[in-house]
Amino acid sequence: MEADISPLKVCVVPFGCQMNRADASAIQELLERRGHVPVRDEDEADAVIYVTCTVRQHAEDRAFSRLGRHARRKRDGRRVILVLAGCCAEKEARGALERLPELDIVCGTRRFHLLPELLDRVRAQGGPIVAVGLDGRPGHEGGFHWRTSPFQAFVTVMRGCDNFCSYCIVPYVRGREYSRPPDEILDEVKRLADDGVKEITFLGQNVNSYGKGLEPPCDLAELLARAGEVEGIERLKFVTSHPKDLTPELADALALPKVCPYLHLPAQSGSNRILAAMNRGYTRERYLELVEMVRERAPGAALASDFIVGFPGETEEDYLRTRELVERVRFSQVFVFKYSPRRGTAAARLPDDVPAEVKKRRNNDLLALHLEIAAEDNAKLVGSTVEVLVEGPSRRDPSRLAGRAPTERIVIVDGPPELKGEIVRVRVESATALALYGRPEEEG
Ligand code: SAH
Ligand code: SF4
Ligand code: F3S
């Protein structure tokens, strides 16, 4: 039998974190190189590839229920290749086929590079095929990056996580940490800069442990400094950092001219009892010391954090400690998540004993507190000037422009559409908890 090598219409659908989105973009590029044609409409595609997230149950359920719709259509006779890729695939492996027997391919987080070949095999011999396992490195590294605009790109610099926070599935689905060699990354930065990219975000599950095991040694602070010297690069960002690996050198790097003074440093909780149960490796006091260090070495830097509410055994007292931490640090951004037990993690053995309505109340309360603080802090910026990389028309009001300040704050700018892709100095005229508003400063 001759293999069918005609191009497929492929639809790659990303879920979850930025690294997943970068991976989805690499997968799409790999498939395009093989001659397949990307389409936006899932219903039009010959192959639907879900690049999934399993960090909370809700994320996983969403992917499976959307895939379920395709499975039903397949049972009704529609010909389509269904691919479960990414973190859910790694977690469920063969079990995914029990949940959704219509799946043709289950492809884990370190097997993405095999997808073109797996699609060929399914077309020639039928499925299902399960390709998972955390050994080795993903073969899709190098030369792939995620471009969100002609002037912005994301580059994965390290992968994996060795921290095993007790609630978290990521170490089990992304495997052990490893860092890409700095020269390879810097070559990529240069190529991107030559192609008009001004802003690069370095990605890693634990980006500030970048460099572990590299010979000759290099760390994230050094990588940022070297990338900042590349001509054409105006802004460097990095996410996400772990408090226990935050060095004075990285805090200093936040004050470098090209590095954005923004640090996403998830605290997760303000209670020492809960932090210990989470296996985070720091106390509330240590976290506050780190905040002080950042504020001393990089004055004006914005700090952002994630918090989990309703971790097993979290009392009202524990929650109040979290609330106090938010009041004390005055984060510029706060992301709050309701605890979701993940099978196989240490915390999943503890009773999920905080009632759903209590989780919800704490979640809403913490967000409301943060919004109050952000509104006050943003109001203090009225009258100042911020540098904004203009990303394009504002989604809420397309007659205006939207962009970000170096601190990640969203800035809505009254200005002409030609400013898209430019870094402009904007005079802040008003502010809300979520955004600053202003117009470009007059020249001269
Ligand atoms: N590596 C990053 C991001 C991990 S996932 C880091 O350590 O910061 C992003 C966020 O999801 C975490 O910071 C945490 O707040 C949240 N999260 C992870 N596992 C969770 C779980 N089981 N339930 C609820 N939130 C969770
Ligand atoms: Fe998960 Fe903790 Fe690793 Fe972040 S550091 S990915 S929360 S185990
Ligand atoms: Fe989700 Fe995997 Fe990212 S579990 S948060 S997509 S690393």
Side-chain angles (χ1 to χ4, degrees):
M1 186 178 85
E2 217 167 288
D4 181 3
I5 51 158
S6 58
L8 293 171
K9 284 189 261 178
V10 292
C11 184
V12 182
V13 187
F15 294 81
C17 64
Q18 287 170 322
M19 182 162 321
N20 241 26
R21 285 162 206 269
D23 283 340
S25 145
I27 290 171
Q28 178 164 318
E29 198 171 326
L30 276 166
L31 295 174
E32 280 182 69
R33 285 185 197 171
R34 186 69 144 227
H36 300 308
V37 183
V39 293
R40 274 170 182 269
D41 181 1
E42 291 179 40
D43 292 337
E44 192 199 318
D46 305 311
V48 177
I49 298 148
Y50 274 29
V51 188
T52 55
C53 173
T54 183
V55 77
R56 287 167 288 275
Q57 188 62 41
H58 176 70
E60 178 176 318
D61 292 346
R62 217 156 52 97
F64 272 94
S65 90
R66 273 177 66 177
L67 270 171
R69 188 179 68 89
H70 288 291
R72 283 192 297 281
R73 300 185 64 202
K74 197 165 167 175
R75 284 199 294 276
D76 293 342
R78 184 172 183 273
R79 276 168 61 103
V80 61
I81 299 174
L82 292 185
V83 183
L84 177 76
C87 295
C88 289
E90 198 65 58
K91 169 168 167 279
E92 296 290 308
R94 212 151 259 294
L97 299 172
E98 277 158 38
R99 271 174 93 170
L100 265 187
E102 290 78 8
L103 287 174
D104 295 285
I105 299 172
V106 177
C107 178
T109 55
R110 296 203 179 191
R111 298 289 184 272
F112 294 145
H113 57 290
L114 299 178
L115 271 171
E117 185 189 320
L118 298 177
L119 280 177
D120 288 350
R121 260 169 59 197
V122 163
R123 293 167 89 192
Q125 303 155 13
I129 304 174
V130 178
V132 294
L134 293 170
D135 49 307
R137 297 188 172 189
H140 70 288
E141 211 95 85
F144 294 100
H145 35 255
W146 173 38
R147 285 283 277 270
T148 48
S149 76
F151 44 89
Q152 293 168 297
F154 289 76
V155 173
T156 300
V157 298
M158 63 78 65
R159 283 174 188 272
C161 179
D162 296 347
N163 289 330
F164 291 92
C165 301
S166 64
Y167 50 82
C168 185
I169 192 81
V170 170
Y172 302 91
V173 294
R174 286 282 178 171
R176 297 293 61 76
E177 288 180 7
Y178 76 85
S179 298
R180 297 176 59 201
D183 292 339
E184 190 183 299
I185 297 166
L186 290 163
D187 277 349
E188 206 164 313
V189 169
K190 281 182 201 126
R191 265 181 286 131
L192 287 165
D194 287 343
D195 198 37
V197 168
K198 294 182 178 173
E199 178 186 278
I200 294 186
T201 305
F202 288 150
L203 293 178
Q205 259 99 28
N206 244 320
V207 74
N208 61 327
S209 74
Y210 173 80
K212 228 201 247 173
L214 282 181
E215 210 39 72
C218 180
D219 62 8
L220 184 61
E222 185 185 334
L223 185 72
L224 287 164
R226 287 173 65 187
E229 283 162 17
V230 174
E231 207 183 307
I233 294 300
E234 302 282 351
R235 285 184 167 193
L236 291 163
K237 306 182 187 177
F238 55 97
V239 279
T240 305
S241 301
H242 193 296
K244 89 178 163 34
D245 300 316
L246 181 66
T247 59
E249 289 77 18
L250 188 61
D252 287 340
L254 285 171
L256 291 174
K258 301 292 169 68
V259 177
C260 288
Y262 169 80
L263 185 66
H264 188 166
L265 193 70
Q268 310 295 1
S269 169
S271 151
N272 283 336
R273 212 173 60 80
I274 297 296
L275 285 170
M278 286 177 163
N279 191 30
R280 285 292 286 179
Y282 54 86
T283 59
R284 163 200 185 84
E285 292 72 29
R286 175 70 188 143
Y287 187 87
L288 287 168
E289 266 171 39
L290 293 170
V291 169
E292 277 311 300
M293 175 176 84
V294 170
R295 295 209 157 137
E296 249 163 52
R297 291 173 184 251
L303 279 154
S305 178
D306 298 354
F307 288 96
I308 295 176
V309 292
F311 185 83
E314 185 187 68
T315 61
E316 203 56 25
E317 188 62 37
D318 292 318
Y319 171 67
L320 290 175
R321 301 292 282 159
T322 296
R323 216 175 176 281
E324 276 166 30
L325 187 73
V326 169
E327 275 176 328
R328 176 113 169 236
V329 179
R330 302 185 77 89
F331 297 100
S332 66
Q333 276 179 3
V334 163
F335 303 90
V336 189
F337 303 104
K338 295 190 276 274
Y339 172 70
S340 165
R342 309 310 292 132
R343 198 180 67 226
T345 61
R349 292 196 294 269
L350 305 170
D352 180 16
D353 56 2
V354 178
E357 67 274 12
V358 175
K359 287 182 184 169
K360 189 167 166 196
R361 174 170 54 75
R362 291 179 186 164
N363 185 327
N364 294 346
D365 177 64
L366 201 59
L367 275 181
L369 171 65
H370 161 67
L371 287 178
E372 228 174 87
I373 292 169
E376 287 170 16
D377 287 352
N378 286 352
K380 291 178 203 150
L381 296 171
V382 171
S384 71
T385 301
V386 292
E387 276 190 359
V388 180
L389 173 56
V390 177
E391 295 181 3
S394 154
R395 243 177 278 161
R396 279 186 40 200
D397 175 1
S399 72
R400 295 202 269 186
L401 301 166
R404 284 182 191 268
T407 54
E408 274 299 282
R409 288 187 173 89
I410 294 172
V411 188
I412 307 298
V413 186
D414 262 318
E418 303 81 74
L419 292 181
K420 180 174 171 174
E422 300 296 324
I423 293 179
V424 285
R425 291 175 60 79
V426 172
R427 184 130 182 105
V428 180
E429 294 171 344
S430 65
T432 65
L434 299 176
L436 308 177
Y437 297 80
R439 60 187 75 238
E441 250 182 6
E442 299 296 326
E443 299 276 327

